[in-house]
Amino acid sequence: MTKSVKSQVSAEEWQVRTDLAACYRIIAMYGWDDLVFTHISARVPGDENHFLINPYGLLFEEITASSLVKVDLDGNKVLDVPHAVNPAGFTIHSAVHEARHEVACVLHTHTRAGIAVSAQAGGLLPISQTSLFPIAALGYHDYEGVALNEDEKPRLVADLGNNIALILRNHGLLTVGETIADAFLYMYVLETACQIQIMAQAGGGELVQVPQPIVAGIRAQAEQVTKGMGGALVWPGLLRKLDRLDASFRD
C-alpha cells in the first residue's frame, strides 16, 4: 500500500491527484483499460512543467491519488515514489503537455473499437450523432512504431494541432482537455462513436452518412447539449458512483 503523499503536496495538487485517480478507476469501470499499458496524465497546478501519470505496473483499478508519479518534461521523478513510468506513455504525454499549455489532461486508450477504427482508411465516419462531436475537432497520426522515439514528438503534436481528439493509426485513441473531466467526456464520446461504427459495419448493410452541413455546425450544438459546462456536467455523478463502489481512489 502506497503511503499517502497528501501532506507533501498543495491542496490544488491533491485535488488533481484525486480526480486523476478517479479517471483511472472510471476507465477501468468502463472496460477501456489495457492491463497496465495505457495512460492518463494531468498537469500539476502552478507548475506547467510537471505532470502526474500512472505508476507503471499497477492496474487502473488499483491507482490512488498517492500512487501517481509526478515527473518533469524530461522524465525525472519530482517526488520520490517506488514506481517507474511507462516510457512510451511519457513520450506521448510529455509531447502534448510541452506543446499545449492550455491542456490540463491527456487521455490515451487501446480499446478494441478504437484500434479497429484507427486501422480503417476512412477513419471515424459521420454515421451517428455521437460521431459528429469528435469529428468536429479530430486529427490523425500515422503509426511510427512503439512511441519511444523523441523525434516523433513534433509530428504527433502537429497532427493533434488545436484539436481535442487524435486517432493514432493502428494504435488507439487520444483526447485532451482543459480539465480531467473534459478529457474524459471527449474520450467517452469518441470511444462510443467507434463502438457504434464497428457495430454498424458488422451489420453488413449500406451505411448512411450525416450530410456535411450538419457536421459543420455540430460544435455550437455541443455547447448547448452540455449547457456550456463540458465534462463538469457529468463528472460529479461519476465521482458519486465511484464513492459508492470503492472510494479508495481518494487515498
Side-chain angles (χ1 to χ4, degrees), residues 154-241:
R155 292 184 290 277
L156 187 148
V157 166
D159 289 336
L160 175 61
N162 292 320
N163 292 313
I164 60 174
L166 186 67
I167 290 182
L168 304 168
R169 293 286 192 185
N170 313 105
H171 183 176
L173 308 177
L174 183 144
T175 58
V176 302
E178 294 185 9
T179 66
I180 293 168
D182 284 346
F184 171 79
L185 180 59
Y186 300 149
M187 181 59 75
Y188 178 88
V189 176
L190 178 57
E191 169 64 23
T192 302
C194 289
Q195 291 180 15
I196 291 169
Q197 179 165 320
I198 297 303
M199 293 175 70
Q201 291 169 327
E206 182 179 357
L207 301 180
V208 178
Q209 296 200 9
V210 175
Q212 185 56 38
I214 296 177
V215 177
I218 201 66
R219 278 195 178 185
Q221 293 180 353
E223 286 289 311
Q224 295 179 43
V225 168
T226 63
K227 300 182 179 179
M229 295 173 65
L233 182 65
V234 300
W235 194 248
L238 289 168
L239 293 184
R240 291 193 300 271
K241 183 171 185 175

Side-chain angles (χ1 to χ4, degrees), residues 121-145:
L124 185 64
L125 303 175
I127 59 170
S128 67
Q129 175 176 277
T130 307
S131 70
L132 304 186
F133 299 104
I135 284 174
L138 177 64
Y140 291 85
H141 177 65
D142 288 339
Y143 189 65
E144 298 187 26

